[in-house]
Amino acid sequence: MVVYKKAIRDKIPDIIKDSGYSCNIEKLSDTDFLKEMEKKLDEELTEYKENGSVEELADMIEVIMRISELQGCSMNDFEKIRRNKAKKRGTFKENLFLIDTSKN
């Protein structure tokens, strides 16, 4: 037996069963699942840092999308927030790196 105790994607139980294994799962409340998804985001970030895989970035986006939904924010609203912030503060396309600031 291998113990995981972590949030998983919806099709994972079927994938496990199709591989000849059994599994125990629990359906969590939105509040409890939000906490687990926040842990999952840390996990995916760690995996990205370890191997730099774009696939891990896709996993992070999937987790972020679910966290946003659990926070009551649709993806359309999330995208509006992102665009609005980009309009006000810019994006990261110019690769700028702040060294320091000083008062004139």
Side-chain angles (χ1 to χ4, degrees), residues 12 23-24 26-27 29 43-44 57 60 65 78-79 88 103:
I12 296 299
C23 62
N24 293 306
E26 178 182 354
K27 186 166 181 162
S29 69
E43 175 189 325
E44 299 299 345
L57 289 176
M60 286 174 35
M65 288 171 62
F78 183 85
E79 180 58 19
K88 289 180 182 176
K103 187 114 175 154

Side-chain angles (χ1 to χ4, degrees), residues 79 82-83 86-87 89-97:
E79 180 58 19
R82 188 202 64 77
R83 280 194 316 264
K87 183 177 179 181
R89 310 214 15 122
T91 63
F92 295 96
K93 291 182 180 180
E94 294 185 33
N95 298 356
L96 302 178
F97 183 76

Side-chain angles (χ1 to χ4, degrees), residues 4 8 11-23 25:
Y4 290 96
I8 57 172
K11 293 184 180 182
I12 296 299
D14 291 333
I15 292 169
I16 291 170
K17 290 173 187 168
D18 290 346
S19 297
Y21 292 86
S22 61
C23 62
I25 60 167

Side-chain angles (χ1 to χ4, degrees), residues 17-77:
K17 290 173 187 168
D18 290 346
S19 297
Y21 292 86
S22 61
C23 62
N24 293 306
I25 60 167
E26 178 182 354
K27 186 166 181 162
L28 300 179
S29 69
D30 285 353
T31 302
D32 290 340
F33 198 64
L34 175 60
K35 292 174 191 171
E36 294 303 319
M37 291 304 287
E38 289 168 345
K39 292 177 191 175
K40 187 74 170 176
L41 185 57
D42 287 338
E43 175 189 325
E44 299 299 345
L45 177 58
T46 298
E47 290 174 1
Y48 172 74
K49 286 179 177 181
E50 288 173 356
N51 64 35
S53 167
V54 174
E55 191 169 310
E56 297 301 338
L57 289 176
D59 289 344
M60 286 174 35
I61 294 296
E62 194 70 33
V63 171
I64 289 167
M65 288 171 62
R66 184 62 181 137
I67 289 172
S68 179
E69 291 168 351
L70 289 167
Q71 293 278 20
C73 182
S74 72
M75 286 316 299
N76 284 337
D77 289 342

